[in-house]
Amino acid sequence: VVADEYAAKNISFEVEGSGRALSDTDEVQQILLNLVRNSARAVSVNGMIKVLISSEGAWVIIKVTDDGPGVAPEDVRRLVEFAPFFRGKQSPDAAGRGHGLGLYLSERLARANSGSLKFDETFHPGCRFVLTLPAVRSQTDGEGRYMSSSDL
């Protein structure tokens, strides 16, 4: 979907790894769509977006990174807090795009799925968000009930 929307920018998309998260598939897809769309807006022509998925113990870790301009120092606090209606200013494609609710809602969806979404302030150049979700340990909940999961 995002590749088609931003075809004129010739963005390279790379996805590595896999995992099974105990989560609502539609909600995780919405989180990832929001993160990748934000990255696509931020990168320049011929930019790069990477999605790295790994399993670490009881967690599935998904890192969405881009090689855009990053976040202006004066905007970091609002981004770390996932402030509603915040729109980054450094994106070459920022004008007239979105309402500043995508990251705010994504962070709420991550928490609703017993996970977290964090902005990685230490990642430079570019931008990185880290989505952490509980990993599937078994197909039942101990009482014989099937547990749903998201294949990532």
Side-chain angles (χ1 to χ4, degrees), residues 4 11 13 15 18 20 23 28 43-44 53-54 57 72 79 88 94 98 110 120-121 126 141:
D4 293 338
I11 299 169
F13 292 92
V15 178
S18 64
R20 286 184 61 104
S23 58
V28 172
V43 299
S44 300
I53 305 165
S54 62
L79 196 56
D120 183 352
E121 298 177 64
D141 64 1

Side-chain angles (χ1 to χ4, degrees), residues 8 17 51 54 58 63 93 98 107 117 120 135 138 152:
V51 179
S54 62
K63 296 176 182 176
D93 216 11
E107 193 270 339
L117 180 62
D120 183 352
S138 68
L152 305 169

Side-chain angles (χ1 to χ4, degrees), residues 73-135:
E74 63 270 16
D75 292 337
V76 169
R77 183 185 58 76
R78 292 187 69 201
L79 196 56
V80 168
E81 295 172 353
F82 292 93
F85 307 110
F86 171 72
R87 293 176 49 201
K89 297 175 188 80
Q90 291 206 22
S91 165
D93 216 11
R97 294 288 194 160
H99 299 286
L101 292 173
L103 291 174
Y104 171 79
L105 293 172
S106 293
E107 193 270 339
R108 298 306 182 274
L109 288 173
R111 283 194 286 143
N113 281 277
S114 301
S116 66
L117 180 62
K118 303 289 183 197
F119 169 65
D120 183 352
E121 298 177 64
T122 66
F123 185 80
H124 299 286
C127 194
R128 173 183 288 155
F129 284 88
V130 180
L131 174 61
T132 304
L133 296 166

Side-chain angles (χ1 to χ4, degrees), residues 4-65:
D4 293 338
E5 290 176 13
Y6 291 92
K9 290 179 86 171
N10 194 36
I11 299 169
S12 297
F13 292 92
E14 187 176 308
V15 178
E16 293 180 16
S18 64
R20 286 184 61 104
L22 183 62
S23 58
D24 182 292
T25 302
D26 292 335
E27 291 179 355
V28 172
Q29 286 177 349
Q30 186 62 57
I31 294 167
L32 294 175
L33 183 61
N34 289 343
L35 294 175
V36 171
R37 274 191 174 140
N38 281 354
S39 288
R41 288 181 190 128
V43 299
S44 300
V45 173
N46 298 319
M48 169 68 88
I49 298 171
K50 293 182 182 180
V51 179
L52 306 172
I53 305 165
S54 62
S55 294
E56 298 178 19
W59 301 98
V60 173
I61 311 296
I62 305 166
K63 296 176 182 176
V64 178
T65 64

